[in-house]
Amino acid sequence: MYKILLVFLLFFISTISYSQHSSDINQRKGNLFFSAGVDYRITPIYKGFSNIDLPVSVDLQNSGLGFNFNFDYFLSKNLSLGLGNTLRYDMVSSNFDEITDIAGFTKVNNDLIFDIHIYLDYHLIKFKKGELFIRFGKSLRNNGAQYAYSDPVFDQNGNYFASLQGISVTPSHSAWNFALGYKNKRVSLMLGVFTTSFSGYFSPDKAFIVPYFSITYNLGKL
């Protein structure tokens, strides 16, 4: 899956690398730019243990490689408003509760998960080569990772008599997005964090931070 997406991304970049583009900061106001690249989410930071009822690894679901696509509209030569989408093929659930023997294994359920981002980029400092910018935004993470499960129901004597079916759970959540980036012509490098206190992984909720690194390539002006 990742190899196919990577080949497509490289082909896409190569075919439109000569598209209209302005690297002059004085000419980008009022223009919309399209970019694509890759994100790498580092292991999340939190204290304690996740909800024991979750059939998923919090660390695995929130780390690893993703592919991003972004639209950035420059309100001024230094300030842009962006809308982005990150796609990744990742863990939705793990059937570990189906293992009844002392040792065993089961297949992990993976699917396409996506994040939606809206953000502001402000370009602080212009160097001889490149610019330094900061990002502040809001992201809706882990869309497409919903699942359902059933819970057993016991009578007052502790005897099982039914299952409560169709309980729907979603690990999607909103998070603040803070980042520091460096842009040189078409290429942008960025180090940031997603942070929230309401991830849905913990009961009660607690601080949940996902550091990430990204590299994007400006494909041209629309």
Side-chain angles (χ1 to χ4, degrees):
M1 179 69 178
Y2 283 141
K3 291 181 179 179
I4 295 174
L5 289 174
L6 184 57
V7 169
F8 171 77
L9 180 61
L10 292 174
F11 174 77
F12 189 48
I13 291 174
S14 65
T15 55
I16 67 172
S17 60
Y18 295 102
S19 63
Q20 186 181 11
H21 173 75
S22 174
S23 58
D24 185 351
I25 65 172
N26 296 311
Q27 296 181 14
R28 61 192 180 192
K29 178 182 177 181
N31 289 315
L32 178 67
F33 295 88
F34 176 64
S35 62
V38 293
D39 295 343
Y40 187 80
R41 286 164 171 73
I42 307 167
T43 301
I45 302 169
Y46 56 91
K47 292 183 178 180
F49 299 95
S50 62
N51 188 334
I52 60 173
D53 292 330
L54 294 176
V56 67
S57 167
V58 176
D59 290 353
L60 290 178
Q61 191 174 74
N62 292 277
S63 61
L65 189 67
F67 297 87
N68 65 66
F69 306 90
N70 309 282
F71 294 91
D72 296 279
Y73 179 78
F74 276 83
L75 304 169
S76 69
K77 69 177 183 179
N78 293 323
L79 181 66
S80 64
L81 174 65
L83 178 65
N85 194 338
T86 300
L87 302 175
R88 65 187 195 275
Y89 188 70
D90 221 328
M91 172 186 285
V92 173
S93 64
S94 175
N95 302 320
F96 60 85
D97 56 340
E98 294 181 0
I99 301 175
T100 57
D101 297 327
I102 296 176
F105 66 91
T106 184
K107 182 180 178 180
V108 172
N109 299 312
N110 291 330
D111 208 339
L112 191 65
I113 301 175
F114 65 96
D115 302 341
I116 299 173
H117 317 284
I118 184 168
Y119 54 86
L120 288 170
D121 284 351
Y122 187 76
H123 296 254
L124 295 168
I125 304 173
K126 186 178 186 303
F127 304 104
K128 186 176 181 179
K129 291 185 177 181
E131 302 171 79
L132 192 68
F133 67 93
I134 57 173
R135 173 168 295 183
F136 171 72
K138 195 80 170 179
S139 298
L140 185 59
R141 305 188 61 249
N142 292 342
N143 299 282
Q146 292 84 356
Y147 58 87
Y149 70 96
S150 63
D151 261 353
V153 178
F154 301 93
D155 61 22
Q156 60 184 2
N157 297 318
N159 299 312
Y160 167 83
F161 78 79
S163 291
L164 188 59
Q165 301 287 338
I167 301 175
S168 181
V169 176
T170 173
S172 63
H173 58 270
S174 62
W176 294 108
N177 182 5
F178 303 97
L180 177 67
Y182 174 76
K183 183 178 186 296
N184 187 1
K185 295 183 179 180
R186 290 177 180 263
V187 178
S188 296
L189 304 174
M190 195 164 57
L191 182 64
V193 294
F194 298 109
T195 177
T196 181
S197 296
F198 306 99
S199 65
Y201 290 119
F202 311 99
S203 181
D205 284 304
K206 60 181 66 177
F208 184 68
I209 301 171
V210 180
Y212 68 91
F213 171 79
S214 75
I215 177 170
T216 59
Y217 186 85
N218 191 325
L219 294 167
K221 183 169 59 177
L222 301 179

